[in-house]
């Protein structure tokens, strides 16, 4: 119930066309119902004009197609993350313009060309194995209407490669750094770039990496200011947050 | 060596006033020297007009006074974090306008009134014991020239208190959430507010909190998008990052 | 040896048909034998009229069918948890009325309609992926004779969905909350509902969730009173405990 | 705003004594304000007639006295947990009937004799070092109006001592078990008693106990059904939850 | 080189049939060679008359057959642990009397009937899923010439089953307890039995069992004296140590 | 109720001096009462002629003196572990022959000379800092009537020192190895000695030792057979178990 | 741009054949480009005459063949680590002299015979299951031009086997020790050998080995000086570092 | 027993002056005795001409003075690590030329000027708080006769400071990197310097640093080759190993 509907209700009470008991009944759910339409924003029910997002992990291809079908009926742009190729094939049947990124494991459906930002987001990886997570971030940022620059495989083990690209990285409004074995990269970039850095630890690696724990701790302990961290492998979260900041 | 100096060098080579061997020598350190003057930004040597920051933990009061003395000579605004009252007393002797926040454990010296932003940063805590970390963030954000709104002790155990303040929180350009026992608060705010949220786990609590680990993991796993995390108890980092984003 | 058998023994001693030495021999095992009939209650050998429970994990379908066969001979109601569909098929052969829940991975056989409680148990999940654990709890609670209300996918990232259902949740005598990525949900419900809350961390999620550890710690640290926690993914345990409390 | 106040508002709108714009303004905060009076229950702002609780850890004796002063003015019964003797002395000055338990580290002030339950809560410890946590639970349960039976130092290393008391334990409506080195005790009692068991791991012990982690994990993995766990050393939480269940 | 061979060498030196330089050469390896026959005992090169042991994990069936072939040539009894059925089939081809325990995953070849001890080892499990580890211990103890009593599925959740068997357990010279979900069992038996207890945590279980960590910690923290612990799932180690103690 | 009392009861039933209902009543508690007198053995209430043990940690000097007083009245030998010098001084006042080991932190009172075993227990440490734990084991073993050989500071970093003493170590019936930084020592001794080895990890060390965790894991993973492990720093437990095995 | 090219540039500026603006442009990237030719060394772009290394994990066989193709064109020697047999087959098609080590999982292509060092590297393993990691180290060291001695399966459980080989181990300039269950081996060798020891924990083992964590911690805590540690299973890193030290 | 003594023994056997039984007895201890005199080297009993080392942690000042006294009698150079100022004062009394480094917490006594190496060891720290650990390494390296260059406070947060010093770092034969919050520094230096790097994690930091764990894991996972790691805060170990390599 929005503000206009509430005003209408009060007017109907005033002019007698609505009984007070009936009005009380209608107001009963106000606390919670009201929250929904007006202010709440989450990654599943986003604001008007925003893509709708499906987290595909643990859903069957049929379930995913079903969800897409409903969203298409609403005319939404759609982003499916952690999607298998099988899911994509089923989606493709009902929506031929659906696209699939094997690397990012995303399904994307764009119904209207999004207005793209002038500023861009730099997405940096330490190694080639961190690219899938980076691509999830990149595809997310793009479908939310951001320009993205990819700077991949510039880990600190060969730091001159990073320096070759440092101006491109610095030109961004916000930087995402995805790294598994080399969580160090976030610190180094944080020290070289005067922009917010979102660090994404990846589960890439072996041994004492412990599924991304090493990179996660390394990034959290960084002395360079301006760095914050999202969950291991959470490319979507990084892309979404970067988009949010890029549009401030 | 900046671009003009390099041009001068080349001109001197051209007109013969500089021998090639000597020019080669001068160019030798270019890779690193050049980096310094132009572009590097870190939390110890910040840009012109910014406060200088001292991390006081593990430094003696005498050392801290010494550092402050040098900085004062440069005319800098100064922020000392994790500072004891003893350190403050020594600093006060050489700089009577120094101020101390017992809660935030910060020393601040403002030589010029910073231009303050129009937008503000909301700083939220779950409990009263999280306030010291929140205050470190608040003092940091303020000395870097940001307006701050404090919304303390609104943990989810009594969620109506949070709702009482939700509009104030939402009005910010960016939100900091500090919580120890109740890492949950970051998720809840992330779900209610369409702004970037910086979550600061605090080491407050006991038992299975394991020095902040529980809050840290809880915040990293949040399903609400738009949340990122800094190190446990790192109020300074949160305040600095929030300032950076607030000024984008 | 039950109370009647003991009385008979004493009578036989009295009337001389049993020698004292022989009686002493018979009484020797009394300490332990006696425990069984009178007071002990565990999830494998429950009280008269209660379903018998099989934990199917690690048992072959043939073994499970064998156990069911013996239980059927006793006329018991039966609950098989963590059961595969293969096991169900074998059980179905010998007991056509056996039912299988693919979601909960349970086999249930009801020989008599249980008396159902007037009060009900609310079972709440944060996301859709937590539903299998919740269903194990629900099926358990139902076969033990409880009314259950399912409130699924109401995580705090979209907190208005939770509020839509809050009265239904509050109407219960006891609440079960199953959550993986969002252990926060248990805290929030604990703060909103004046009933005991049994929190079940689930292993759903990735990265820093570490197989449910994050949700487990988050739930244990909750500041809201009235919350206790069972093992990760232990839907059965939550359902059984809730039934126990619901019938107090 | 409660239901009667809302009805009055609507009547005033109807009879014209309240302008619609003013009514809209009044309704604006309804969602959250409303939550408070009606349904929310948390351990700080409990229902009418319930004691008010102060978590004293990290508060100065002066702060505690201040809080007590305000609560006394409301005529509340008061429970202060994790309170030092210094805090007690200050409280005693303004409220001579305040009592202190050195063992439980609690301050209690009873203004009216609580109605006590007929059923009782059994509180069991494995060793003597677990008693402080158990006492926090006991004092909490008692000030919330429950009868309590203490059965201390009956760890499984000398299991006959447990058996001596088993009938007393079984007579309770709910059982609390506090144990540090011997998390096993919760399992054993869970197997012997057909009542809900709240297990409280304590941080007592050394070496591989790792601050209570061992007891915590042991209790979570118990095969005996009917057991749930609260945070390490959280005697208050156990006592509060037990009281809630005891009064169902 | 054993003591008799060394004596022979010295005699040959004495009677001149062996040159001193040649004798020095032969003695050169004495330090290490000598160790073998006299005093060293490890699970690969055991004392005369003892079975030889093959740890099959990570070896191909062909490699295992090859090792068995060499050992058979020495006339040894053989124990293969963690052996697959495939490996067994190959071994069977070259040694028809080889036996396989599917439960214990052991291959055993007995060439001579071992002298069996008069005293016996009790091997106890909490649940049925702990039996494979217990059987590895049992088969090991038996091929090393010990009498074994198996007491399975007597976990503390149904403690009367344990009491039914307590005299059998107590009759042993040493007790092995294998338990996964219920590490508590070792404590309880340690409290009831005045014999050394070797506790074997098993990786059975789920959730907060963390691959046996919970049982391991629980067993290490036991207050009952006389308990020591071996590695998770190390049935062989427990059986071997029990045999060593049983023969003291 | 012991066997004679039970016989008397049956005779009274037989001769009619005891009614059957009354007899049933008397037998009711038999299960648990009976356990006590006959068979139970734990480290607090040990068998006749054995020392009584006080775990002093967390008890005040006054409490310890009180406990000693009661035990002295029973004529017991007494072992107090983890005892402070203050406690010792109070005990000394009431029992002049009490002795204190500063190294082992034990109070011992011997009223009668124990019969000492012919076989001995070797107690080995890696470094000098492991000696306090070793001494707790040694004092325990001695007061329980065992001969002990101490072989200290023979860590594998200087393995020849170990070899110098190897025959002394091998001569024992059972070996205790206490090590913190060098858990490796237990493996090495296990490979050299054909006797049961009880490994005691100590919390000595720094950094990645993590309070003894490193030594604990190292000892558990030892490939040498015949090794088992007790809790970190649990010298008493090792000494008690070694005594138990030494007397088999 | 190397020193000669830079000199040429300056000469061209001097003689007027290169405009200053153009020269500035060329120098712009000097900082980073320059780093490459002169000083930077990493495992992907090694010094002239060194093999090029491909970390094959996570790359498709086709990708690996593609990379090899480019490297072959440069005439490089090539080392592919963590390579599958499938990848090898594809590589073999385009380079018949490529060799594969099934044990080490390496592809090697030698175009020129490397100059081999006079000194050698000893590579030692505790068990046979540690050999694959040791072989990765050995193959790496060899293709970088080092002589290697392999001393396998000499774990401390049978320490005489180690002593048999101790002189061979001591003869090396540097020693690599790979061990999983028996991290102890590194300490023992560190105590016996006066050479730098590189310890490689392996993930071999089960239970409390926790994927190599036990060996890792054990090695880090070694009291023997001269030991350092690389990542779990990082045979390549150990071999590369040993080669670096061997050539100092 | 060395080769000559053994020859003599054999000759005595041959000429009859030594009975065979007596000779057998003498040969019995050969395996271990022999090891000692010839080859063993450890950090406490180092080679002739080397300083002797005392690990002072956990030793009383009196004990330390006692040990120093004995060493002085041998004319040794002495290094005491982790020494308190109290210990130093006592040592100073008996040896006036003893020196103390407050920063490194070392006592050093040099009786003869060590021959110093031509090559040097670079010791690098990320922050100022890492200096104590670096100084322990430096003092160690120096007393073992190495030239040392200290490059402190060049963490990656301000990477240009590192670049200013890169040539000095590169000039070393081996590099030590000590870092706590910024384990990243080891990776960066490993990528820039073609020399072995010994990484020392320090326990400096707070929050998710977990006592040095974060730095430790980060360093172990470094992609830059040529890096190995010693225990957290183990400056001595790093200095000793660096000395060993520097002298190869």
């Amino acid at each position: 119930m929005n503000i206009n509907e509430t005003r209408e209700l009060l007017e109907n009470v005033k002019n007698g066309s609505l009984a007070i008991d009936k009005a009380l009944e209608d107001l009963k759910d106000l606390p919670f119902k009201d929250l929904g339409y007006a202010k709440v924003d989450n990654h599943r029910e986003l604001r008007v004009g925003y893509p709708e997002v499906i987290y595909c992990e643990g859903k069957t291809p049929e379930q995913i197609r079903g969800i897409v079908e409903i969203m298409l009926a609403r005319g939404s742009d759609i982003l499916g993350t952690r999607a298998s190729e099988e899911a994509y094939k089923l989606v493709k049947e009902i929506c031929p313009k659906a696209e699939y990124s094997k690397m990012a494991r995303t399904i994307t459906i764009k119904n209207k060309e999004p207005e793209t930002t002038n500023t861009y987001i730099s997405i940096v990886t330490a190694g080639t194995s961190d690219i899938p997570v980076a691509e999830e971030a990149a595809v997310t940022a793009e479908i939310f209407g951001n320009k993205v620059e990819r700077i991949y495989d510039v880990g600190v083990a060969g730091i001159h490669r990073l320096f070759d690209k440092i101006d491109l990285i610095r030109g961004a409004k916000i930087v995402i750094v995805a790294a598994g074995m080399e969580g160090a990269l976030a610190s180094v970039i944080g020290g070289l770039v005067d922009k917010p850095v979102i660090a994404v630890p990846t589960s890439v690696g072996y041994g004492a990496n412990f599924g991304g724990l090493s990179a996660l701790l390394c990034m959290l302990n960084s002395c360079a200011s301006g760095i914050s961290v999202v969950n291991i492998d959470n490319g979507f979260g990084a892309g979404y947050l970067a988009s949010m900041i890029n549009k401030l």
Side-chain angles (χ1 to χ4, degrees), chain A residues 7 10 17 81-82 149 162:
Chain A
R7 179 184 297 276
L10 291 175
S17 69
T81 61
R82 309 210 164 202
E149 290 288 346
L162 171 62

Side-chain angles (χ1 to χ4, degrees), chain A residues 55-92:
Chain A
Y55 177 71
C56 298
E57 189 98 40
K59 299 198 175 73
T60 65
E62 288 73 21
Q63 288 175 316
I64 294 165
R65 184 179 51 186
I67 298 171
V68 167
E69 211 153 22
I70 294 166
M71 289 176 168
L72 282 176
R74 290 200 286 258
S76 309
D77 284 2
I78 298 170
L79 167 63
T81 61
R82 309 210 164 202
S84 65
E85 227 165 332
E86 285 79 5
Y88 169 61
K89 278 179 195 153
L90 285 201
V91 167
K92 184 99 184 162

Side-chain angles (χ1 to χ4, degrees), chain A residues 1-47:
Chain A
M1 185 183 290
N2 66 16
I3 201 83
N4 289 337
E5 290 168 335
T6 312
R7 179 184 297 276
E8 198 183 319
L9 176 148
L10 291 175
E11 281 165 358
N12 288 341
V13 165
K14 184 164 191 180
N15 63 32
S17 69
L18 182 68
I20 280 178
D21 279 356
K22 185 64 188 35
L24 271 175
E25 190 68 20
D26 289 354
L27 283 170
K28 191 184 136 191
D29 287 337
L30 187 58
F32 315 122
K33 291 268 174 63
D34 219 27
L35 275 175
Y37 78 87
K39 300 162 175 175
V40 173
D41 240 292
N42 63 69
H43 85 280
R44 267 160 291 193
E45 286 134 298
L46 293 157
R47 284 166 308 178

Side-chain angles (χ1 to χ4, degrees), chain A residues 2-195:
Chain A
N2 66 16
I3 201 83
N4 289 337
E5 290 168 335
T6 312
R7 179 184 297 276
E8 198 183 319
L9 176 148
L10 291 175
E11 281 165 358
N12 288 341
V13 165
K14 184 164 191 180
N15 63 32
S17 69
L18 182 68
I20 280 178
D21 279 356
K22 185 64 188 35
L24 271 175
E25 190 68 20
D26 289 354
L27 283 170
K28 191 184 136 191
D29 287 337
L30 187 58
F32 315 122
K33 291 268 174 63
D34 219 27
L35 275 175
Y37 78 87
K39 300 162 175 175
V40 173
D41 240 292
N42 63 69
H43 85 280
R44 267 160 291 193
E45 286 134 298
L46 293 157
R47 284 166 308 178
V48 177
Y50 267 45
E52 295 193 273
V53 181
I54 313 165
Y55 177 71
C56 298
E57 189 98 40
K59 299 198 175 73
T60 65
E62 288 73 21
Q63 288 175 316
I64 294 165
R65 184 179 51 186
I67 298 171
V68 167
E69 211 153 22
I70 294 166
M71 289 176 168
L72 282 176
R74 290 200 286 258
S76 309
D77 284 2
I78 298 170
L79 167 63
T81 61
R82 309 210 164 202
S84 65
E85 227 165 332
E86 285 79 5
Y88 169 61
K89 278 179 195 153
L90 285 201
V91 167
K92 184 99 184 162
E93 287 174 12
I94 60 168
C95 177
K97 71 173 153 183
E99 286 173 20
Y100 186 67
S101 160
K102 208 167 172 173
M103 189 60 95
R105 298 186 56 221
T106 50
I107 300 169
T108 45
I109 301 177
K110 291 187 208 165
N111 286 307
K112 48 189 170 301
E113 215 38 52
E115 258 181 89
T116 300
T117 55
N118 290 325
T119 53
Y120 65 87
I121 300 167
S122 288
I123 304 186
V124 185
T125 75
T128 53
S129 344
D130 304 313
I131 295 178
V133 173
E135 276 299 304
E136 191 184 275
V139 170
T140 300
E142 286 171 343
I143 201 169
F144 278 87
N146 299 275
K147 234 169 72 186
V148 166
E149 290 288 346
R150 291 157 169 87
I151 302 106
Y152 290 169
D153 197 18
V154 294
V156 296
I159 210 166
H160 61 290
R161 289 174 304 169
L162 171 62
F163 288 153
D164 271 355
K165 303 289 188 181
I166 198 69
D167 286 334
L168 183 58
I169 300 173
R170 279 175 176 154
K173 193 161 169 196
I174 180 158
V175 181
I176 293 172
V177 178
M181 293 301 273
E182 240 179 313
L185 182 60
S187 303
V188 173
I189 289 183
L192 288 170
V193 177
D194 186 25
K195 299 289 162 47

